[in-house]
Amino acid sequence: MYKVISESRGVRRSFSISLGLAEGFGPEGKIHDEFEVVEMTLAWMKGRAAEGKPFLTGTVGTGTVVYAWPEGPGKAGGGSESSVEFRGEVSPLYNADLPDGEVAELLNELASVLGVELGQTRIYVAYRDEVWILQREESVTPTGEKV
């Protein structure tokens, strides 16, 4: 039998970080795997824990992102690539007092670590009922979008 841990109930504060696993395009591109993401995420957590700083725990899972873009009247391009998502809940047991703004900063920090290591242009972040997109500075997407 299991019992509810006292102080473990709280408001649900879900988060996710999603990004591609393909670094570059075509034959020169490199495909990363989820195990690299697990190691990077764990190193980030352990570094913060060793400094006595808060961190977020979660689950790493893989999928396939599918996308399209317009290419003029009656035309469109599209593609797909392997992707990874780090998702979880802010723990009411360990991080109940962590303000939402600090959670967002932690998500952006980890997303940036993953994005740099995986060579990504964009990273998609969600927290509670908000979503935002991070784009590497000085970068241009394949469709020409800049920050």
Side-chain angles (χ1 to χ4, degrees), residues 5 16 39 61 71 99 101 118 121 145:
I5 297 171
S16 72
E39 290 303 315
E71 292 185 334
L118 298 176
T121 300
E145 297 164 294

Side-chain angles (χ1 to χ4, degrees), residues 25-134:
F25 302 96
E28 299 85 33
K30 176 182 178 182
I31 304 296
H32 295 275
D33 65 44
E34 69 185 285
F35 304 107
E36 292 174 80
V37 175
V38 167
E39 290 303 315
M40 290 176 220
T41 304
L42 186 57
W44 175 81
M45 287 179 197
K46 288 169 68 175
R48 291 193 62 88
E51 294 174 5
K53 295 179 179 177
F55 55 90
L56 301 169
T57 59
T59 303
V60 173
T62 57
T64 303
V65 63
V66 181
Y67 45 87
W69 58 88
E71 292 185 334
K75 297 180 182 177
S80 63
E81 69 179 88
S82 296
S83 63
V84 67
E85 180 181 38
F86 175 69
R87 63 183 303 158
E89 305 285 335
V90 177
S91 171
L93 191 58
Y94 302 113
N95 290 322
D97 296 329
L98 197 60
D100 288 339
E102 195 169 338
V103 172
E105 289 173 17
L106 291 173
L107 291 168
N108 289 343
E109 180 182 311
L110 176 56
S112 295
V113 167
L114 297 175
V116 166
E117 292 297 319
L118 298 176
Q120 295 301 298
T121 300
R122 285 191 170 170
I123 307 155
Y124 301 82
V125 183
Y127 176 54
R128 298 188 90 159
D129 60 352
E130 291 186 281
V131 340
W132 58 93
I133 301 167
L134 302 175

